[in-house]
Structure formats: C-alpha cells, structure tokens
Amino acid sequence: MPTARRCIYLCADDLDPSIQSFRELYDPLGRLVEPHITVVFPFESNVSDDELRAHVREQVIAESGFAASLEQQPMRHDGYIYFPILDGAQQIRTIHDRLYTGVLQPLLLEIPYVPHVTVARTTDAEEKQLLRESSSLEFDNKFRISKLKIERVLHDDRGQLIYQILFRSGI
C-alpha cells in the first residue's frame, strides 16, 4: 500500500494581513495553505489516518488556545525566509515534542526545532532582496493559536484536511 504524505500544523489565527500578502507573493504555499506553524514536518508513513488522529488527539487534548507573536526581524535558512515565534515559542516546542512521540517518534529530525512562520522561498540570487523587503514590513506581530490541523499533502501541494482539533478557550 502506498504511503500518504501528511503534515501537522498550528493555525496562526488573525495574523496581520501584510504577512499573508507577502507570503502570497513569495511563498509557493502562500495561496495554498493558511498562515501556520508546522509542528510535524511533511512525512510519509504507513501509520493510518485513524492511528495518527488518535495519537495527535491524545497529545494535545488538554491544550488551550494561546497568544503568540512574531519577532519583527526575519531570518533565513536553506532557501527560506521566516519570522521566528517570540511569545508562545515554548508552548509550540512542547506541542512539537509531544507529537514526535509514539507512532511519530521514528520521524523526528535530529535538527533544532525553531517555531516560525515561513514567508518566502528564495533562490540565492533573490535572497538578499527578499530579506530586505521582509525586514521592512510593518505589521502587528501578535496573533493567536486556537487549532491544530492534520492534512494530507496532495500532488499540487494543496492540503486535504484529515482532522482538526480546536483547542479549549484559553485566550
């Protein structure tokens, strides 16, 4: 049986529209996936959707929604430009760490996890210009996180919702 490529992310609710506008211009996923913080990177696994749902639900069932904010200065790494999370980063790291247990533990990447919102994918030639443009964005850096989504990644990079968890009201 072929494996399905899936991902898990937190939705960045009420993110400033200027961030989304920038994403739509410079991130190929900007028009396909809502503003988000990836907590389980796209993966292929024989774990069933039901097993995945049960695992995720068990790990975040007690989670409450929370306020978060972006750092005002973007960072770049490996062809991506992103704004790191400032407030809420530790809560996001905790969710990330809990999700990469059990059935997802074998998929854990041995790299430091930096919670962030990606705003652009770049080539070397355009990286400095896009970094400069994203640095000059004026935006309200506060937003909230109230839900988590599990999606199947389709061949055109669009997401197909498998499951959504609404966090308890906490903000």
Side-chain angles (χ1 to χ4, degrees):
M1 163 168 57
T3 60
R5 193 164 153 238
R6 294 168 285 183
C7 69
I8 303 172
Y9 62 85
L10 299 169
C11 299
D13 302 330
D14 302 322
L15 191 64
D16 190 287
S18 63
I19 296 291
Q20 179 58 17
S21 295
F22 194 87
R23 285 184 71 236
E24 288 177 5
L25 287 173
Y26 301 113
D27 181 358
L29 297 180
R31 293 183 186 270
L32 302 176
V33 181
E34 65 196 290
H36 63 281
I37 300 102
T38 303
V39 288
V40 175
F41 293 97
F43 64 95
E44 290 187 11
S45 168
N46 288 322
V47 172
S48 73
D49 288 349
D50 288 340
E51 288 175 288
L52 185 59
R53 266 193 295 268
H55 171 71
V56 171
R57 184 169 167 71
E58 180 180 315
Q59 298 308 314
V60 300
I61 191 68
E63 200 62 49
S64 294
F66 56 96
S69 67
L70 298 176
E71 290 188 20
Q72 293 286 342
Q73 285 302 309
M75 297 186 74
R76 63 183 163 84
H77 177 73
D78 204 22
Y80 292 89
I81 295 176
Y82 60 90
F83 286 95
I85 303 296
L86 186 61
D87 298 320
Q90 188 53 51
Q91 287 167 280
I92 294 167
R93 276 188 205 93
T94 298
I95 291 168
H96 167 271
D97 292 349
R98 286 194 326 237
L99 291 174
Y100 273 111
T101 62
V103 297
L104 295 178
Q105 192 281 325
L107 304 172
L108 179 62
L109 303 172
E110 294 300 323
I111 58 172
Y113 175 66
V114 178
H116 65 276
V117 173
T118 299
V119 295
R121 283 196 214 168
T122 71
T123 62
D124 288 341
E126 65 186 357
E127 184 176 74
K128 286 182 183 177
Q129 175 62 30
L130 288 180
L131 192 58
R132 197 169 28 256
E133 283 183 42
S134 59
S135 293
S136 67
L137 282 174
E138 292 185 23
F139 60 92
D140 179 358
N141 70 335
K142 294 175 180 22
F143 62 98
R144 60 188 178 70
I145 294 174
S146 63
K147 62 186 171 278
L148 174 145
K149 290 185 177 182
I150 303 171
E151 287 192 349
R152 182 170 290 102
V153 181
L154 303 176
H155 70 282
D156 62 357
D157 285 335
R158 291 189 186 281
Q160 178 184 50
L161 184 65
I162 295 172
Y163 189 60
Q164 174 176 280
I165 295 174
L166 299 176
F167 296 146
R168 294 179 297 132
S169 180
I171 51 177

